[in-house]
Amino acid sequence: MAEIDKAFAGAIPALYDRYLGPLIFEPYARDLAARLEGMEGRILETAAGTGIVTRALVRTLPPSIDIVATDLNQPMLDHAAQKLDAPQVTWRQANAMSLPFENAGFDTVVCQFGAMFFPDKPAGFAEARRVLKPGGRFLFSVWDRIEENEVTAVVDAAVAAAFPDDPPRFVARTPHGYYDKEQIRDELREAGFADIRIETVTLRSRAASPADPAIGFCKGTPLRLEIEARDAGRLDEVTDLAAEAVARHFGDGPIDGKIQAHVITAIA
C-alpha cells in the first residue's frame, strides 16, 4: 500500500467529515452503534478518524461506558475532539498495528472502515484480539467492491478518466480493496479468532447535491494527493468533472445511491 493512502492531514480531515461523513460513513456508524446497544464495559475504537462512530456510540450507549478512541493520524483526532465533548471518551493517537494497551483490557474493539488500511491484516487483527478480554467482541466493517457502491464508483471513474495515462486509484485500491469474505475470514482465523460472523449490509448514501461527493472524495481523502501529484493545478477542475459525472448519473438535485459493506463480528 502506498504511504500516500494513509495521509489524512491538512484540509483533508474537515472536508472528509463534512462531505463524506453524512454521505457514506454515518449510515454505517448508526448500524454499528446499534449492534452494541445494551453492552457494558470498556470499548477501544481503532481508526476512529474524525469521530463519526465515536459520536454514534456516545449517542447510543450509556455514559458509564468508557470509550478510548484512537487513530494513526493526530490531525483526524484533533478534528474529532473539537466536535465531541464527552467525558466518557479518551482520545489517543495510536497505531492499530501496535496498540499501546495492556492485554485483555477491553470488552469490545470497534473499527469502522479502517482494516483496509492495515499493511498486515492478520497482525492488525491479532492486536485487536490481544487487547480483548476472553469472549470480547471485535466488531469492524470494510467496504464491499467498488462496483457495489454507486456514488463512489461514479466519482472514481470520472477522476480516472481525467488522467487516462496514469489514473489515480486510491479509492479502488485501498478503501474498496479488501472485500473478499473468505480472505477476511481466513486472516481472522490466522489472528486467533474462531467465532466469526460476516454480514453484508446494503444501505443508502444521500447528499444535497452532486458537488458534495465530488468535493468529499477529491479534496477530503488521499485521492486529493494523487490528483495533485499528477497536476496540482487541476484539483478544482477534476473535482468539477467528478461533480458533473455524478449529476449525469443521478440528476442535478439531491442524490441517493446504493452503498454496501461487510460488517464482521469476531469473538476472542
Side-chain angles (χ1 to χ4, degrees), residues 3-263:
E3 283 300 309
I4 200 171
D5 289 4
K6 297 181 285 185
F8 287 83
I12 288 176
L15 293 170
Y16 171 101
D17 192 66
R18 177 180 175 182
Y19 292 102
L20 295 186
L23 181 74
I24 58 175
F25 295 118
E26 288 180 5
Y28 285 100
R30 291 191 294 268
D31 174 86
L32 187 149
R35 293 167 187 265
L36 296 177
E37 193 167 4
M39 75 155 287
E40 298 179 353
R42 194 174 182 220
I43 297 175
L44 171 65
E45 184 184 357
T46 60
T50 57
I52 294 167
V53 169
T54 321
R55 296 193 292 271
L57 292 172
V58 168
R59 289 193 301 267
T60 303
L61 302 178
S64 58
I65 297 291
D66 179 26
I67 302 169
V68 180
T70 69
D71 196 88
L72 179 65
N73 294 281
Q74 187 63 46
M76 297 289 269
L77 289 180
D78 292 341
H79 183 86
Q82 290 173 1
K83 295 198 67 171
L84 179 65
D85 181 15
Q88 67 267 45
V89 177
T90 301
W91 305 100
R92 182 165 178 181
Q93 193 277 335
N95 188 338
M97 304 300 299
S98 181
L99 293 168
F101 304 110
E102 70 278 10
N103 294 346
F106 295 90
D107 299 277
T108 301
V109 174
V110 171
C111 182
Q112 174 165 275
F113 301 124
M116 309 90 70
F117 293 86
F118 293 177
D120 182 335
K121 310 300 194 285
F125 296 158
E127 271 295 272
R129 185 174 184 272
R130 179 185 66 79
V131 301
L132 277 170
K133 297 176 181 178
R137 279 185 289 181
F138 179 29
L139 177 61
F140 71 101
S141 56
V142 298
W143 291 114
D144 200 350
R145 65 182 71 238
I146 195 168
E147 293 83 1
E148 300 292 347
N149 288 269
E150 196 175 4
V151 181
T152 309
V154 171
V155 173
D156 180 68
V159 174
F163 299 95
D165 296 330
D166 184 19
R169 301 308 312 192
F170 162 73
V171 176
R173 178 179 63 246
T174 301
H176 291 274
Y178 187 60
Y179 55 80
D180 185 286
K181 290 188 282 188
E182 287 312 307
Q183 179 185 356
I184 295 166
R185 195 182 302 276
D186 288 346
E187 292 182 338
L188 282 166
R189 289 185 182 127
E190 184 179 340
F193 290 99
D195 185 354
I196 301 161
R197 297 185 293 278
I198 302 177
E199 179 184 353
T200 300
V201 178
T202 303
L203 298 173
R204 306 300 296 178
S205 60
R206 297 181 175 89
S209 77
D212 287 7
I215 295 169
F217 283 108
C218 294
K219 296 184 176 182
T221 75
L223 179 60
R224 176 188 189 129
L225 308 181
E226 287 197 318
I227 294 169
E228 291 177 332
R230 286 155 177 79
D231 189 339
R234 294 188 65 196
L235 179 62
D236 288 340
E237 174 203 343
V238 174
T239 303
D240 289 343
L241 289 171
E244 291 167 8
V246 174
R248 284 194 299 272
H249 190 91
F250 294 97
D252 292 326
I255 65 170
D256 184 323
K258 171 188 173 184
I259 44 177
Q260 189 161 291
H262 303 313
V263 179

